Amino acid sequence: MSDYPTREFRVTRADLIRYAGASGDFNPIHWSDRVATAVGLPGVIAHGMFTMALAARAVEEWAGGPGRVVEFGCKFTKPVVVPDDDEGVVITVAGKATGESDGLTSIALTVTCGDEKVLGAPKAVVRG
């Protein structure tokens, strides 16, 4: 159960290309099935920082703006495999308030793709 509205983000290969251009991370595991599978991955995977940014966007929306997010952190635990089709995958972000102190709210997040948790121990602290 989420204390905040669950947020879903659809991710396609086109999004990965746009993120690569914005971030400068052109590692071929994010766009080439041949390279991704050659290094033991199940296929092309989303950039971990892109997945993290989507989770941070949900927190920003819940908090009422980027200036209200005081802390955000997580571990990359499971790759998000993005198929080469128009549907892509959906990353779901849920959040639950875990405490309040001095005008700050701590939030524990659950970030999933399908039934898999893709970020480990994602958490945030927001004002309000």
Side-chain angles (χ1 to χ4, degrees):
M1 181 100 186
S2 181
D3 286 345
Y4 299 94
T6 300
R7 186 73 163 82
E8 293 185 343
F9 300 94
R10 183 167 300 280
V11 176
T12 66
R13 293 271 179 103
D15 295 317
L16 301 185
I17 298 300
R18 285 189 283 271
Y19 184 83
S23 69
D25 180 353
F26 293 99
N27 187 325
I29 64 171
H30 302 301
W31 54 267
S32 169
D33 279 308
R34 179 181 49 80
V35 173
T37 56
V39 298
L41 295 168
V44 165
I45 62 170
H47 304 72
M49 291 297 289
F50 183 48
T51 304
M52 182 179 176
L54 294 174
R57 183 194 291 175
V59 172
E60 174 189 308
E61 290 173 3
W62 297 334
R68 301 181 68 90
V69 179
V70 177
E71 293 179 27
F72 185 89
C74 66
K75 298 177 183 174
F76 304 127
T77 56
K78 191 83 175 176
V80 173
V81 179
V82 180
D84 187 13
D85 62 21
D86 293 333
E87 300 301 316
V89 295
V90 174
I91 295 172
T92 302
V93 182
K96 185 169 186 57
T98 59
E100 292 185 22
S101 177
D102 297 326
L104 302 175
T105 301
S106 298
I107 302 171
L109 297 117
T110 303
V111 182
T112 57
C113 182
D115 294 331
E116 303 270 355
K117 289 184 179 179
V118 294
L119 295 180
K123 60 187 175 187
V125 176
V126 300
R127 291 189 201 292

